[in-house]
Amino acid sequence: MTSAMSQRALHQAAGQGLRLLAADERCREAFTTPGSVLQDVLSPAARRYVLAPGRDEFLGHLQTLRAKSYRIAVEFVGEENSDPAEIERVVDEYLAVLEHDPEPAQLGFDLSNLGLTVSRELAVKNTARITEAAAVRGSEVVLSMERAPAVDAVLDAYRELAADHPNLGVTLQAYLHRTAQDLDSLPLEGRKVRLVKGAFNESTANALGRGPALDQRYLELAAELARRGARVSLATQDATVLAEAKERGLLERVTEIEMLHGVRPDLLRTYREAGYACRIYATYGENWWLHLLHRLAEHPPMVLTALADIAERHHDRGHTVGAGY
């Protein structure tokens, strides 16, 4: 027991360290510098989680995953974008993806990638553009969640747009102390709600740390969302939480299990083979610094896999799309 607890504590500390690196402005600036050594060195590790740098290659890879009977969510990776031209390019990218056949059944994005760092109005306008185009194609949009200071802006945008956009859903973070109270003010009936634990470093005043208390809160929130009529996506890679959800009969009440591409493909495959609806959250693009570090933080032992991925490049061996799924 002591050894298991020590291992869990080590993983929690490693996850916190990875999240601190993800948020470090010096690292992020070094990553975005033209000719970045950091980007070049880490790119083999990123390709495990980011399917492709460009749209055409990415869409081709999705066919492989769909053929294995997975549902797919699509994100053009990026966040905290304040360049007006780049913001418009991101919107255009989502609109272009929606023109593809077959169309993506679900899109996801951070409002900070669509203009929230410039103004709330710009982010709402751009979200409406994408959500309306998605509705024409029969697709859903599920807003991602961001750091604690941006939560109010994201939830306000969701409330404002939800009445006119029935295909709009939202992500909620179980670790935030406020989330249980937020349920009372959000449109939930019939809406897709992605429930995640939470990926950012937050103070104890705002959030629970990783551990059994957060696991229990996650399961309780999932049950409450299902009770309120939300179409719940259990977005977690935590095998212990999923096993407990199964034990409680919760997997029969939620819409699906969702995992981020590349994190625990073997675990997701186990549930798919057991007959549960499973979704892969798949990303593409080149602005992947935060995405990579957060994925490693989700399951810190994957740092060893990342180092192995970097070594593989020197042997001219890359990833096989769909491996493990």
Side-chain angles (χ1 to χ4, degrees):
M1 177 65 73
T2 302
S3 176
M5 291 301 291
S6 298
Q7 187 79 348
R8 181 162 191 163
L10 177 63
H11 289 174
Q12 289 170 3
Q16 182 180 23
L18 288 161
R19 292 183 182 95
L20 286 170
L21 280 176
D24 191 301
E25 290 295 336
R26 296 165 301 175
C27 293
R28 293 170 67 175
E29 183 177 350
F31 176 82
T32 57
T33 300
S36 167
V37 172
L38 189 59
Q39 185 172 152
D40 181 58
V41 169
L42 292 178
S43 60
R47 283 301 299 270
R48 180 173 294 274
Y49 309 103
V50 181
L51 271 174
R55 186 196 320 142
D56 291 342
E57 183 183 358
F58 171 74
L59 292 171
H61 290 333
L62 290 189
Q63 294 298 95
T64 301
L65 299 175
R66 287 193 182 102
K68 294 176 179 283
S69 300
Y70 288 103
R71 302 175 180 182
I72 306 292
V74 170
E75 178 182 344
F76 182 54
V77 68
E79 54 191 282
E80 299 181 11
N81 183 3
S82 58
D83 180 349
E86 180 62 21
I87 291 167
E88 187 63 22
R89 188 176 79 86
V90 171
V91 174
D92 288 342
E93 188 65 33
Y94 278 105
L95 296 178
V97 166
L98 283 166
E99 291 297 319
H100 185 265
D101 286 316
E103 72 283 348
Q106 183 176 308
L107 301 177
F109 48 76
D110 293 301
L111 289 189
S112 64
N113 203 24
L114 266 70
L116 187 60
T117 55
V118 176
S119 72
R120 177 185 172 280
E121 292 72 22
L122 179 60
V124 169
K125 174 185 174 184
N126 286 334
T127 299
R129 290 169 62 191
I130 296 171
T131 306
E132 288 163 6
V136 171
R137 297 287 280 161
S139 302
E140 289 189 294
V141 171
V142 179
L143 301 180
S144 296
M145 192 46 74
E146 310 202 33
R147 303 176 196 277
V151 170
D152 280 329
V154 175
L155 294 183
D156 286 347
Y158 172 64
R159 292 186 194 98
E160 179 178 337
L161 291 168
D164 295 327
H165 300 88
N167 63 323
L168 184 66
V170 71
T171 301
L172 298 177
Q173 300 173 108
Y175 73 162
L176 293 181
H177 300 319
R178 61 175 288 172
T179 299
Q181 287 70 47
D182 285 332
L183 301 189
D184 292 332
S185 65
L186 295 173
L188 297 174
E189 179 73 32
R191 300 286 177 157
K192 171 66 71 68
V193 177
R194 292 177 68 239
L195 184 64
V196 301
K197 285 188 176 181
F200 305 104
N201 270 326
E202 300 290 356
S203 69
T204 55
N206 288 330
L208 279 177
R210 297 290 169 124
L214 177 55
D215 294 350
Q216 291 307 306
R217 180 188 284 179
Y218 183 93
L219 292 166
E220 289 164 5
L221 282 170
E224 179 61 17
L225 284 164
R227 188 188 71 79
R228 294 184 185 220
R231 294 182 294 115
V232 183
S233 181
L234 286 183
T236 179
Q237 287 79 222
D238 191 320
T240 301
V241 166
L242 289 170
E244 181 65 21
K246 183 179 180 180
E247 181 69 21
R248 296 184 184 190
L250 187 55
L251 294 188
E252 310 303 326
R253 300 171 56 201
V254 301
T255 297
E256 64 195 13
I257 298 166
E258 179 190 292
M259 295 188 192
L260 298 154
H261 181 268
V263 180
R264 299 291 301 275
D266 54 337
L267 181 60
L268 190 61
R269 186 185 71 247
T270 297
Y271 281 96
R272 177 181 61 79
E273 291 175 345
Y276 295 101
C278 293
R279 185 180 299 276
I280 296 172
Y281 196 99
T283 62
Y284 73 105
E286 299 178 340
N287 188 14
W288 44 256
W289 168 254
L290 289 173
H291 189 78
L292 171 61
L293 272 292
H294 285 159
R295 297 302 68 79
L296 297 178
E298 290 282 338
H299 190 56
M302 291 296 288
V303 170
L304 296 177
T305 305
L307 293 172
D309 288 339
I310 291 169
E312 287 291 287
R313 177 165 72 174
H314 296 282
H315 296 93
D316 295 322
R317 293 194 293 266
H319 298 301
T320 301
V321 174
Y325 286 107

